Amino acid sequence: MSSQLATSEESAVPGASRVAASAGLGVFAAMIGYLLTYLLIGAEVRRNSDGDVADWKGVAWYFYEAHLVDIEVTSQVGSFGGTRLLNLIAESSSASADVLYVLPPLVLIAVGVFLAVRWDVTDLGDAVMAGAPVTIGYAVVIGLGAVVTEANTQGSAFGIDASTSAGPTLQTAIGLAGILYPLVFATVGAVITAVVVNRR
């Protein structure tokens, strides 16, 4: 019985380590996606910066918009308030702005391909198990990023308080960008690799 237990534990270790590796690559994928976004749009963000929002936060907003996450601005002046959405990519003057939409899928597909090749995945079930855990790390980075990239300003004039907060909508950031994107695209990358390998 003890030998059976030992065998069971040994077989579980590779699976657990693969999940951890996939999750780690999810973190890596989010960071690479952000850095590529900075390279493509950072100059425009710096040009348009008014000092109220740090450049790295402004780039992050483009990164979230590339995942189809809304950037919401909520303003309050006295007892009056309102909410509007930014359209950063659509209104960008940069020729490379539209490329931002394809960056997250491409990076995640590349991660899925890498995992499938690294582990010699040929079975579709194994491909899903290789790609899906990428979601864990990606969702953590996206969720934390949505919180830390929120920008808040406050002021007062003639006794009237005014405040503005802007940033990615948290629920959409986690659900769409953090979970759905990596779950679909990283898995697709691994599955495509498994299919190609099987046809050789």
Side-chain angles (χ1 to χ4, degrees):
M1 181 174 178
S2 60
S3 62
Q4 290 178 344
L5 181 59
T7 304
S8 165
E9 288 177 349
E10 287 173 5
S11 64
V13 170
S17 63
R18 286 189 175 194
V19 168
S22 293
L25 279 176
V27 173
F28 178 75
M31 293 169 60
I32 289 296
Y34 173 80
L35 289 174
L36 290 174
T37 303
Y38 203 107
L39 288 175
L40 286 172
I41 210 71
E44 178 175 311
V45 172
R46 288 189 293 273
R47 279 197 309 271
N48 298 336
S49 176
D50 56 8
D52 291 335
V53 179
D55 292 347
W56 67 271
K57 288 187 178 183
V59 171
W61 292 357
Y62 281 86
F63 181 57
Y64 281 95
E65 266 201 9
H67 290 80
L68 307 180
V69 175
D70 290 330
I71 306 301
E72 192 174 73
V73 180
T74 302
S75 301
Q76 185 79 27
V77 179
S79 58
F80 300 97
T83 300
R84 63 187 176 91
L85 300 178
L86 298 181
N87 294 301
L88 299 172
I89 297 177
E91 296 174 1
S92 172
S93 59
S94 173
S96 58
D98 289 338
V99 177
L100 296 176
Y101 287 118
V102 301
L103 276 182
L106 286 179
V107 170
L108 288 165
I109 287 172
V111 166
V113 169
F114 172 81
L115 288 168
V117 170
R118 177 71 177 82
W119 294 328
D120 297 321
V121 171
T122 56
D123 178 78
L124 293 184
D126 289 340
V128 172
M129 291 304 295
V134 171
T135 304
I136 299 168
Y138 205 81
V140 169
V141 174
I142 291 292
L144 289 174
V147 173
V148 301
T149 58
E150 182 176 328
N152 298 288
T153 57
Q154 293 181 338
S156 181
F158 305 106
I160 300 174
D161 294 326
S163 63
T164 302
S165 65
T169 52
L170 184 59
Q171 289 182 338
T172 310
I174 294 173
L176 180 58
I179 296 175
L180 190 59
Y181 261 72
L183 189 60
V184 170
F185 293 111
T187 303
V188 163
V191 167
I192 289 173
T193 304
V195 170
V196 170
V197 169
N198 278 330
R199 288 185 177 179
R200 288 178 179 174

